[in-house]
Amino acid sequence: MLKKDVEDALNLQLNRETFSAYLYFSMAAWLNSQDLPGFSQWMVAQGMEELTHAQKFYAYIQQRGGTVRLEAVAGPKVGWESTLELFEETLAHEVFVTGSINSLVDIARDASDHAAGIFLQWFVTEQVEEEESVGQVLQRLRRVGDNPSALIMMDGELGKRMATASSATPAE
Ligand code: FEO
């Protein structure tokens, strides 16, 4: 049985994962409007991954006999100044989510909920990969700078890689 504070924290994370999907779908739409279909496709896949994260929390709360409380999901930002700014915000958001997962691990530990701790370990590992994959795209974008042909090439690579791996980063 879940303790109340653990249940509340799991529900909060369920909301945050769902918001992450909203945010990335909004970003994907903006990228598409900028004639960057490869970046957009990459970001749609990121959003779809967030929905699978949300689903894991949704299922786990029920598996433990808890109550799923679906709160309102905030509307994400709509426009960005540049692709670089968008990916800087993506990385900042993933760092925020990592902090949120770490807080959740602390809450589970303080409640001596070792089962929840084990469940959360998957997310601890996943966040390392999430920050790495977004960070690689960001690093490459910084190198591309104002070079439009390099950006178009990167767009093609991101779109191609998405066909085989949902969180793939462009080839160096
Ligand atoms: Fe579900 Fe990108 O963290």
Side-chain angles (χ1 to χ4, degrees):
M1 198 70 182
L2 284 174
K3 288 183 180 165
K4 180 80 167 67
D5 54 348
V6 178
E7 182 184 286
D8 287 348
L10 289 168
N11 273 302
L12 177 60
Q13 193 61 36
L14 167 54
N15 183 276
R16 286 179 171 165
E17 299 290 348
T18 309
F19 173 77
S20 298
Y22 265 38
L23 175 62
Y24 295 159
F25 291 151
S26 184
M27 287 176 163
W30 183 83
L31 288 163
N32 205 38
S33 76
Q34 303 300 303
D35 295 324
L36 293 170
F39 278 95
S40 179
Q41 192 179 338
W42 192 95
M43 197 56 85
V44 165
Q46 286 288 111
M48 296 300 286
E49 278 194 16
E50 299 303 346
L51 290 179
T52 69
H53 296 172
Q55 196 277 335
K56 284 179 190 286
F57 283 100
Y58 175 80
Y60 187 71
I61 293 166
Q62 294 178 79
Q63 187 184 11
R64 294 289 307 278
T67 301
V68 169
R69 288 191 181 80
L70 296 174
E71 302 290 346
V73 181
K77 191 171 162 179
V78 171
W80 285 264
E81 288 295 316
S82 66
T83 306
L84 181 63
E85 183 201 46
L86 182 149
F87 272 89
E88 282 169 345
E89 286 187 18
T90 304
L91 182 58
H93 183 70
E94 286 300 332
V95 169
F96 166 75
V97 172
T98 298
S100 183
I101 294 287
N102 286 339
S103 297
L104 191 40
V105 171
D106 291 343
I107 290 167
R109 187 196 55 220
D110 292 346
S112 299
D113 191 334
H114 303 298
I118 290 168
F119 166 73
L120 290 166
Q121 286 311 301
W122 184 89
F123 288 93
V124 172
T125 304
E126 175 70 6
Q127 282 311 119
V128 173
E129 292 173 9
E130 295 265 277
E131 286 189 29
E132 183 187 24
S133 65
V134 175
Q136 284 174 350
V137 175
L138 184 55
Q139 195 176 28
R140 181 113 185 251
L141 268 175
R142 287 186 179 128
R143 283 205 300 273
V144 163
D146 294 330
N147 185 334
S149 54
L151 188 65
I152 288 168
M153 187 181 297
M154 189 176 170
D155 186 63
E157 288 175 17
L158 279 170
K160 207 164 32 185
R161 291 294 292 267
M162 284 312 303
T164 52
S166 60
S167 60
T169 55
E172 291 294 316

